[in-house]
Amino acid sequence: MNMLYKSTRDSLKEVTAAQAIAQGISDEGGLFVPAFLPTLTDDDFERLASYDYNGRAVDILCRFLSDFTESEIENCVSAAYGANKFDTENPANMHTLHDNVNILELWHGPTCAFKDMALQLLPHLLTKSAQKVSPGKTTAILVATSGDTGKAALEGFKDVDGTKVVVFYPGEGVSMLQKMQMITQEGNNVKVFAISGNFDDAQTGVKKIFTDEKIKDTLAADNIQLSSANSINWGRLVPQIVYYVSAYCDLLVSGKISKGDKFNVVVPTGNFGNILAAYYAMRMGVPIAKLICASNKNKVLTDFINSGTYDKRRDFYVTASPSMDILISSNLERLLYELEDNDDGIIKSYMSALQKDGIYTVSDKCLKRMQSLFYAGYMDDDGTFGVIKECFEKYNYLCDTHTAVAIGVYEKYAAETGDDTATVIASTASPYKFPTSVLKALGKAADGDEFDRLYELNNVSGVKIPQSLAELKSKPVRFNETCTSDNMAQKVVDYLLNSK
């Protein structure tokens, strides 16, 4: 069946998968969503369970990308997950923490963060999409990052023909290793800027560029079209659905659950894309019982799910889990569109109120539906550090600060509800991306610079340092420019028009 995509702010607009991926965001600012969700049956799951990760990815992607041939998708998947791109045989490796609690390790790719699961694949999907929709044009990828998306996009798109990549990151809002990963990035088609502000400033600036007709016309005159590698791009979100389908298959194969048994999914999230992918998997037939949304001290999602009021007018905190330091969760718009029965008028009113007043309240119907699906909680830094220490001492498992937030919120949920359903917790980064915080959590001195702390953490834990992080110290810095949200657009135009 042919799959088309609608805009959350204009339900009459329909585009192909290739158009949705190539464009990234709809002209009026809405996000593309599938016109329907494919259904997976027990027979489908039995078959998928016999496949490896690549085979599962091809099957799921074929259901969403109907204007791609199966051969095209197979080539994209092979390029993304093959050739030793990941340091485990299964890119989405599962580790049993204890009893029925399992850690879905999504960080075994080249940048040591879960973003690799999508951003090793997106460049191949995007270039295929561009060839279908607008052959001969250069696609400029704009990225706002809270730490991990930027590096994963830079690594995924570096030297990919027909593309250029511009990344904006909060200058004071990422770890030193995250910063070093970006400012030392290799590739002739990449550019990186620090922004004087936080992630929300960067994200808002990028979205403004996408909807600025003057900028788009200026770039179009030079045969350049804009697209996105943030999870506002459907091509970035759809690969994330795969690893929740695959997790269910792995639970079946391992005998941890039986066919049809439900399990919970816990996701540490700021921009809501990762947990939205789990929601889509559930809607397709993956038997997820409860979606547990874990936030850090910037708990805008926790408050929203528990109250129905989204209020970004609050203090912003720089925390030990920086990739979740977000107050505007862009992908929430996609969930609300579903829960409000695809009413684009309601979604436009919510998003307009958020932009104008910084606050909106959803309907009672929407709130009731949301709370039937989601549990929300948060952890502050002290609680996060406590979880890291407990996991290492009790289970000999070393986790990063974001994963610790998820484990801590799950423990709160289990204590409150008594629910002992099998659970999958998404682990989103290697602990070595945040060695200072992890050492602090373990009660160890964090002497020297960040690289010294990598080796100290290795001494303390015995866990191998990822090679890509160990090599950073010797790489030359290529990008040291800073800008403000007000001149992001000019920086983008200047770079794209003057780099040939």
Side-chain angles (χ1 to χ4, degrees):
M1 186 178 295
N2 190 38
M3 174 68 80
L4 295 175
Y5 291 80
K6 297 182 178 182
S7 167
T8 53
R9 303 187 197 180
D10 183 358
S11 293
L12 296 179
K13 179 169 291 183
E14 288 190 332
V15 299
T16 65
Q19 288 173 305
I21 293 171
Q23 191 170 335
I25 189 171
S26 188
D27 292 331
E28 78 292 333
L31 306 185
F32 290 117
V33 294
F36 64 93
L37 287 170
T39 300
L40 296 170
T41 66
D42 284 345
D43 288 343
D44 289 324
F45 288 122
E46 185 173 348
R47 177 174 45 80
L48 288 167
S50 70
Y51 294 173
D52 63 7
Y53 190 85
N54 286 22
R56 295 167 186 172
V58 170
D59 184 286
I60 300 304
L61 292 171
C62 282
R63 297 168 188 264
F64 284 101
L65 311 179
S66 58
D67 50 338
F68 286 65
T69 67
E70 184 172 352
S71 176
E72 286 175 328
I73 292 175
E74 287 175 345
N75 290 338
C76 290
V77 168
S78 177
Y81 302 125
N84 300 315
K85 291 288 186 73
F86 290 73
D87 64 15
T88 50
E89 183 177 350
N90 181 351
N93 187 61
M94 190 93 76
H95 173 89
T96 299
L97 186 65
H98 65 86
D99 302 324
N100 59 357
V101 178
N102 306 277
I103 305 293
L104 182 63
E105 295 178 339
L106 301 171
W107 42 263
H108 288 283
T111 77
C112 306
F114 83 101
K115 307 297 175 72
D116 289 325
M117 298 299 300
L119 284 167
Q120 284 298 302
L121 181 59
L122 177 60
H124 305 288
L125 295 178
L126 184 60
T127 51
K128 292 285 187 189
S129 296
Q131 291 167 7
K132 294 174 184 291
V133 174
S134 49
K137 287 189 176 183
T138 295
T139 301
I141 314 298
L142 304 188
V143 181
T145 184
S146 56
D148 289 330
T149 293
K151 170 59 181 178
L154 291 164
E155 187 66 25
F157 281 95
K158 72 175 182 183
D159 294 327
V160 172
D161 289 343
T163 68
K164 293 182 183 295
V165 188
V166 185
V167 169
F168 295 93
Y169 72 93
E172 303 300 323
V174 298
S175 77
M176 193 192 92
L177 283 174
Q178 287 175 314
K179 178 178 178 179
M180 285 295 294
Q181 283 185 308
M182 290 184 280
I183 66 177
T184 62
Q185 176 64 46
E186 299 167 346
N188 294 319
N189 63 334
V190 301
K191 186 71 172 178
V192 178
F193 295 96
I195 184 171
S196 299
N198 58 38
F199 169 77
D200 293 321
D201 297 319
Q203 180 170 250
T204 299
V206 165
K207 292 180 82 171
K208 284 182 179 178
I209 295 170
F210 273 112
T211 55
D212 189 315
E213 294 300 326
K214 183 178 179 181
I215 290 175
K216 288 194 286 187
D217 289 344
T218 298
L219 296 177
D222 209 47
N223 215 29
I224 298 171
Q225 62 183 359
L226 294 175
S227 190
S228 172
N230 283 92
S231 53
I232 56 176
N233 190 317
W234 180 252
R236 161 74 188 281
L237 191 58
V238 68
Q240 296 180 266
I241 298 172
V242 175
Y243 52 70
Y244 292 111
V245 175
S246 185
Y248 175 51
C249 292
D250 286 341
L251 290 174
L252 291 174
V253 170
S254 67
K256 290 181 173 155
I257 63 174
S258 300
K259 184 169 66 174
D261 287 350
K262 292 198 171 187
F263 65 102
N264 297 323
V265 170
V266 189
V267 186
T269 188
N271 216 14
F272 207 75
N274 200 358
I275 198 166
L276 179 68
Y279 165 79
Y280 282 138
M282 179 180 69
R283 291 266 283 106
M284 292 170 66
V286 175
I288 296 171
K290 183 67 74 171
L291 294 159
I292 299 171
C293 179
S295 301
N296 63 16
K297 195 174 181 179
N298 293 296
K299 57 186 182 73
V300 64
L301 283 169
T302 302
D303 293 342
F304 172 64
I305 291 170
N306 290 331
S307 71
T309 295
Y310 196 101
D311 189 352
K312 71 170 186 176
R313 306 167 306 171
R314 59 181 66 210
D315 291 336
F316 176 86
Y317 298 101
V318 176
T319 75
S321 45
S323 296
M324 299 161 65
D325 290 347
I326 295 171
L327 295 181
I328 304 175
S329 303
S330 288
N331 267 291
L332 189 60
E333 181 172 339
R334 284 184 165 115
L335 176 70
L336 297 180
Y337 183 73
E338 284 236 343
L339 300 184
E340 293 287 9
D341 297 318
N342 299 356
D343 189 328
D344 55 2
I346 290 178
I347 301 306
K348 283 189 286 189
S349 70
Y350 291 161
M351 297 304 111
S352 176
L354 183 64
Q355 182 176 12
K356 181 181 177 183
D357 304 317
I359 185 173
Y360 64 85
T361 299
V362 298
S363 67
D364 290 342
K365 172 190 69 178
C366 180
L367 177 60
K368 184 177 180 180
R369 289 177 174 177
M370 183 168 59
Q371 290 181 340
S372 71
L373 299 167
F374 291 85
Y375 170 93
Y378 78 100
M379 295 288 289
D380 62 17
D381 280 355
D382 287 343
T384 300
F385 294 151
V387 169
I388 293 172
K389 183 177 177 65
E390 179 185 31
C391 277
F392 186 65
E393 293 180 347
K394 192 172 181 180
Y395 306 115
N396 195 32
Y397 187 79
L398 190 67
C399 66
D400 86 297
T401 49
H402 303 77
T403 305
V405 167
I407 294 172
V409 169
Y410 166 71
E411 290 174 344
K412 286 183 178 180
Y413 166 79
E416 286 178 16
T417 64
D419 184 0
D420 62 356
T421 301
T423 296
V424 170
I425 299 175
S427 178
T428 54
S430 163
Y432 280 105
K433 293 203 76 168
F434 309 94
T436 302
S437 292
V438 176
L439 282 170
K440 180 179 178 181
L442 297 178
K444 305 298 181 181
D447 298 325
D449 64 18
E450 197 94 338
F451 294 101
D452 294 324
R453 296 165 196 167
L454 281 179
Y455 292 99
E456 176 60 19
L457 185 56
N458 172 252
N459 289 333
V460 169
S461 69
V463 176
K464 184 180 177 181
I465 302 173
Q467 185 177 352
S468 61
L469 297 181
E471 293 174 344
L472 278 177
K473 189 171 185 177
S474 61
K475 296 184 70 174
V477 172
R478 295 187 62 204
F479 306 106
N480 55 16
E481 290 185 64
T482 299
C483 67
T484 67
S485 57
D486 292 333
N487 65 357
M488 285 172 61
Q490 192 59 52
K491 292 289 187 182
V492 167
V493 171
D494 289 346
Y495 168 68
L496 293 178
L497 295 185
N498 294 317
S499 59
K500 303 294 183 181

